Amino acid sequence: MDVDDFSQQVETLRSRVTTLLQSQSYSQQELTAEAFEELQITVEELKIASEELQATRMVVEKERQRYQELFDFAPDGYLVTDTFGTILEANRAATLQLNVLQRFLIGKPLLTFIAKSDHQAFFNYLTQLQQLDRGGEWEMCIQPREKICFDVALTVVTVRNELGKAVALRWLMRDISQRRRLELQRQQLFANEQAARIAAQAAERRSNFLAEASRILVSSLDYRTTLTSVAQLAVPILADWCIVDVVENNLAVFSNSIIAASEPTKEALIRELQQCYPIPVDADYGPPKVLRTGKPELLINILESSLQKKASNEEHLNLLCQLQIKSQMVVPLLVHKRKLGTILFASAQPGRH
């Protein structure tokens, strides 16, 4: 029985008592007995209504307790805030995540526990929630008290009153730091796998090159023909262009280089550089250095600044830049410890060698 039913019943009883009192056919004793009987019936009905109300209250209390237990013991962090982000409720997981006791957490701005780098994004998110009933998952960094930051995924539901106005926000915080670590590990494993595959392919290309070069070296007695074939074999398997310099007549100078390039324009550019700007025989880089020391030279990421140091003028620098050289390897040509010249492998890709 609700309030309206009870009020209606009282009004009916009052009306009937009034009717009895106005009746001429009943004695005072009969009127009193009739009124008492009506009152007794109403009391019984009120007692039944009270028992029903008590039972309803118990059901509601059990549901409230069940909700509170689900809220408190949920594995993820749950918060209830006002529309400005001030914490009104927090479950145990949230207090552990934020490293603050529950009684000290209530009334604190949630912004206090957001990493500074995410402050502006947090303000923008709060503004958006005024128009949304449920915010999409949003990842950010939580800064617990006296602990290091960790990543969480936030899902927010907006609570509205009967007029549709936002009055509270319910926040779900899931710790995704472990997921992030696994993602980084997967990315690292994928990168390692790719690097290993690239290294294996490069090793296979080098092996095939060496096998074919060995066959070429014994195929002709003319060294220029042989070295030309080796240079052409190296492009584009090992490099974008290859330059073989041979010391002739025991002179420590290079002349008549053997050049093989993947593009005719590159070969023409290399010949122009050699003709107009030959590398000095006493240079501390490139073929002259390798010929003097007998040790190979490897450059895996050639920057424009290093080209500027080698260029003698603007025209020289412009020609070097047109080559687009990014990596280079120079090795000595040795026969029984005798230095016969050098082989230069160059590429427009960094770290190819």
Side-chain angles (χ1 to χ4, degrees):
M1 178 185 294
D2 58 21
V3 174
D4 291 337
D5 290 339
F6 177 67
S7 299
Q8 182 64 36
Q9 198 157 5
V10 170
E11 180 59 30
T12 301
L13 177 60
R14 187 189 66 77
S15 177
R16 293 180 65 180
V17 170
T18 302
T19 302
L20 287 172
L21 289 173
Q22 293 175 349
S23 175
Q24 299 289 331
S25 60
Y26 287 92
S27 64
Q28 187 68 33
Q29 185 176 3
E30 288 174 330
L31 287 172
T32 303
E34 183 73 18
F36 181 77
E37 185 178 352
E38 293 286 347
L39 184 60
Q40 187 69 25
I41 292 172
T42 302
V43 169
E44 289 296 328
E45 290 177 349
L46 286 174
K47 184 178 179 181
I48 293 172
S50 176
E51 291 175 352
E52 290 177 351
L53 181 60
Q54 184 64 24
T56 301
R57 284 179 177 173
M58 290 179 64
V59 170
V60 170
E61 178 60 25
K62 285 182 180 178
E63 287 298 319
R64 189 199 67 78
Q65 185 64 32
R66 180 171 174 271
Y67 163 78
Q68 192 64 43
E69 289 176 355
L70 289 173
F71 180 80
D72 283 337
F73 295 102
D76 295 316
Y78 281 95
L79 295 171
V80 178
T81 72
D82 62 15
T83 55
F84 299 102
T86 302
I87 298 172
L88 305 176
E89 295 182 59
N91 71 345
R92 297 186 182 185
T95 62
L96 292 174
Q97 287 175 336
L98 302 179
N99 196 34
V100 178
L101 294 175
Q102 192 175 39
R103 64 177 182 274
F104 298 126
L105 198 55
I106 306 304
K108 293 284 193 305
L110 181 55
L111 182 67
T112 306
F113 304 98
I114 305 296
K116 288 185 177 180
S117 58
D118 287 330
H119 276 194
Q120 188 58 52
F122 180 77
F123 283 127
N124 295 339
Y125 195 57
L126 276 181
T127 302
Q128 294 173 15
L129 290 171
Q130 301 297 317
Q131 284 76 42
L132 301 175
D133 289 330
R134 185 184 183 91
E137 187 174 270
W138 175 47
E139 295 183 3
M140 69 171 187
C141 190
I142 288 289
Q143 177 62 70
R145 184 176 65 88
E146 298 179 353
K147 286 189 176 182
I148 62 173
C149 287
F150 65 93
D151 294 315
V152 298
L154 287 177
T155 303
V156 188
V157 175
T158 304
V159 181
R160 300 183 183 278
N161 61 17
E162 61 276 5
L163 299 177
K165 181 181 178 181
V167 293
L169 301 171
R170 294 174 182 167
W171 305 74
L172 165 63
M173 296 192 304
R174 291 187 298 107
D175 185 346
I176 59 170
S177 52
Q178 179 66 17
R179 188 182 80 185
R180 283 285 179 85
R181 284 193 292 270
L182 291 175
E183 287 175 354
L184 289 174
Q185 288 176 4
R186 282 196 294 269
Q187 291 173 3
Q188 187 61 50
L189 287 173
F190 181 71
N192 292 342
E193 181 184 349
Q194 280 190 317
R197 186 184 299 112
I198 292 171
Q201 292 172 347
E204 183 179 5
R205 287 195 299 268
R206 287 192 294 269
S207 177
N208 293 339
F209 170 76
L210 291 174
E212 184 62 17
S214 298
R215 185 191 66 78
I216 291 173
L217 288 173
V218 299
S219 64
S220 174
L221 296 178
D222 180 66
Y223 81 90
R224 290 196 64 84
T225 300
T226 301
L227 291 177
T228 299
S229 299
V230 171
Q232 291 173 344
L233 177 65
V235 178
I237 297 175
L238 296 182
D240 293 324
W241 62 89
C242 176
I243 303 173
V244 181
D245 286 301
V246 178
V247 175
E248 298 182 356
N249 301 321
N250 294 321
L251 297 176
V253 293
F254 298 127
S255 60
N256 199 16
S257 298
I258 298 170
I259 300 173
S262 57
E263 301 174 14
T265 54
K266 293 284 187 186
E267 182 175 345
L269 192 58
I270 293 167
R271 293 196 184 280
E272 184 178 356
L273 276 167
Q274 288 188 335
Q275 181 179 355
C276 299
Y277 303 101
I279 301 176
V281 294
D282 58 347
D284 61 350
Y285 62 89
K289 178 183 177 182
V290 172
L291 186 63
R292 286 197 309 272
T293 63
K295 296 179 180 179
E297 178 186 74
L298 177 63
L299 302 175
I300 59 174
N301 192 19
I302 300 174
L303 303 176
E304 186 175 344
S305 57
S306 64
L307 298 180
Q308 291 174 346
K309 295 177 182 178
K310 297 174 183 178
S312 53
N313 54 44
E314 284 295 326
E315 183 185 15
H316 188 191
L317 177 61
N318 183 49
L319 291 173
L320 289 173
C321 290
Q322 286 183 51
L323 268 180
Q324 298 178 332
I325 184 170
K326 297 299 181 182
S327 62
Q328 173 180 292
M329 178 174 63
V330 186
V331 296
L333 278 173
L334 300 175
V335 176
H336 301 298
K337 297 184 179 181
R338 180 186 172 189
K339 293 174 284 190
L340 300 181
T342 62
I343 301 181
L344 181 148
F345 303 93
S347 175
Q349 303 174 21
R352 182 175 177 181
H353 304 103

